[in-house]
Amino acid sequence: PAVLGLFVVTGVGLGETVVRPPRPAGVRTASLDSRRVRAYLPSTLTVAVVAVSAVHAATLALTTTTASTDDMGRAGRQVAAQCGNVGNAAGPYPGSFYSVPLALLLLVITLATLAALTAVVRRPRGFAPDDVADDVLRRRSATRILAAAGAAVAASHAGVAFFAGTALLRMDCQRAWMDPAGWLLVASVPTALVLLGWFLARIVTPGALPATASKEAAEKR
């Protein structure tokens, strides 16, 4: 899912940033207003993306530190426990064999998201007939890019949490933390899927022109 998410972030970012309006003929003007990325990010969406990213990072940290080597000598592919003379293991478990490449991919997605958001904020005006509507378009672009990044993380977390949680719950011999952690991970899967659906919806419908913006634009005209 993270690979698909990277393509979504890249595609949305390119689609929202590479198009440039034709330069108007005659005398041109420039705005001295300072624009910042955070001013164009919707607060609820930003909180949701940060929250699911934090939960996903904590999940990857947990699975990485608790994974064991499998029967073929490959590190980070299963989880194991020893109860006296009896031990058992379960997999697939997203230890370092899976989590390290995934973490690097998520880092690339983060950098691509930041680059696209910066390009949206710094792009020249002229995509709309007035400055107010142009800022609305920036917010729409920022919403699509941030939602695409959130979709990549949410989809990735749903897969990781499902396999990690079910592996922990299948263990006959468990450490004290395994059963509650397994249930928490499994419980987070539907939440991640709901967020995934919401993020995808925000990509398709990032928001309409606010009534206040329309009124300000009409007054400026």
Side-chain angles (χ1 to χ4, degrees), residues 12-20 115-117 119-120 123 127 141 145:
V12 172
L14 289 176
E16 295 291 346
T17 57
V18 298
V19 179
R20 289 288 182 267
L117 289 173
V120 164
R123 73 186 180 191
F127 285 82
S141 298
I145 293 168

Side-chain angles (χ1 to χ4, degrees), residues 80-88 171 173-175:
Q82 188 76 26
C83 299
N85 296 327
V86 180
N88 68 335
M171 300 279 288
C173 170
Q174 292 181 329
R175 298 174 187 173

Side-chain angles (χ1 to χ4, degrees), residues 48-124:
V49 172
V50 171
V52 72
S53 299
V55 171
H56 192 41
T59 300
L60 291 177
L62 172 67
T63 58
T64 301
T65 55
T66 57
S68 304
T69 303
D70 65 6
D71 54 2
M72 298 181 66
R74 295 172 296 187
R77 284 177 58 93
Q78 68 177 14
V79 59
Q82 188 76 26
C83 299
N85 296 327
V86 180
N88 68 335
Y93 189 74
S96 58
F97 187 87
Y98 303 101
S99 62
V100 171
L102 177 57
L104 293 176
L105 181 57
L106 293 175
L107 177 61
V108 173
I109 292 175
T110 301
L111 295 177
T113 301
L114 294 176
L117 289 173
T118 302
V120 164
V121 173
R122 293 182 178 179
R123 73 186 180 191

Side-chain angles (χ1 to χ4, degrees), residues 32-220:
L32 298 180
D33 293 339
S34 177
R35 296 194 297 268
R36 297 182 179 180
V37 170
R38 63 183 180 184
Y40 294 92
L41 298 178
S43 57
T44 303
L45 181 63
T46 302
V47 170
V49 172
V50 171
V52 72
S53 299
V55 171
H56 192 41
T59 300
L60 291 177
L62 172 67
T63 58
T64 301
T65 55
T66 57
S68 304
T69 303
D70 65 6
D71 54 2
M72 298 181 66
R74 295 172 296 187
R77 284 177 58 93
Q78 68 177 14
V79 59
Q82 188 76 26
C83 299
N85 296 327
V86 180
N88 68 335
Y93 189 74
S96 58
F97 187 87
Y98 303 101
S99 62
V100 171
L102 177 57
L104 293 176
L105 181 57
L106 293 175
L107 177 61
V108 173
I109 292 175
T110 301
L111 295 177
T113 301
L114 294 176
L117 289 173
T118 302
V120 164
V121 173
R122 293 182 178 179
R123 73 186 180 191
R125 295 188 182 273
F127 285 82
D130 52 71
D131 292 350
V132 175
D134 207 5
D135 279 342
V136 172
L137 292 182
R138 293 180 198 278
R139 291 189 183 93
R140 288 179 178 178
S141 298
T143 297
R144 284 194 172 100
I145 293 168
L146 187 62
V153 176
S156 175
H157 178 75
V160 168
F162 173 79
F163 285 106
T166 53
L168 291 173
L169 295 177
R170 289 200 311 271
M171 300 279 288
D172 296 326
C173 170
Q174 292 181 329
R175 298 174 187 173
W177 62 270
M178 288 183 172
D179 194 58
W183 284 113
L184 284 175
L185 289 172
V186 171
S188 71
V189 173
T191 302
L193 293 177
V194 170
L195 285 175
L196 173 60
W198 183 52
F199 291 146
L200 294 177
R202 294 305 302 269
I203 295 175
V204 178
T205 56
L209 181 67
T212 54
S214 300
K215 182 178 179 182
E216 292 177 6
E219 290 174 353
K220 285 194 174 185

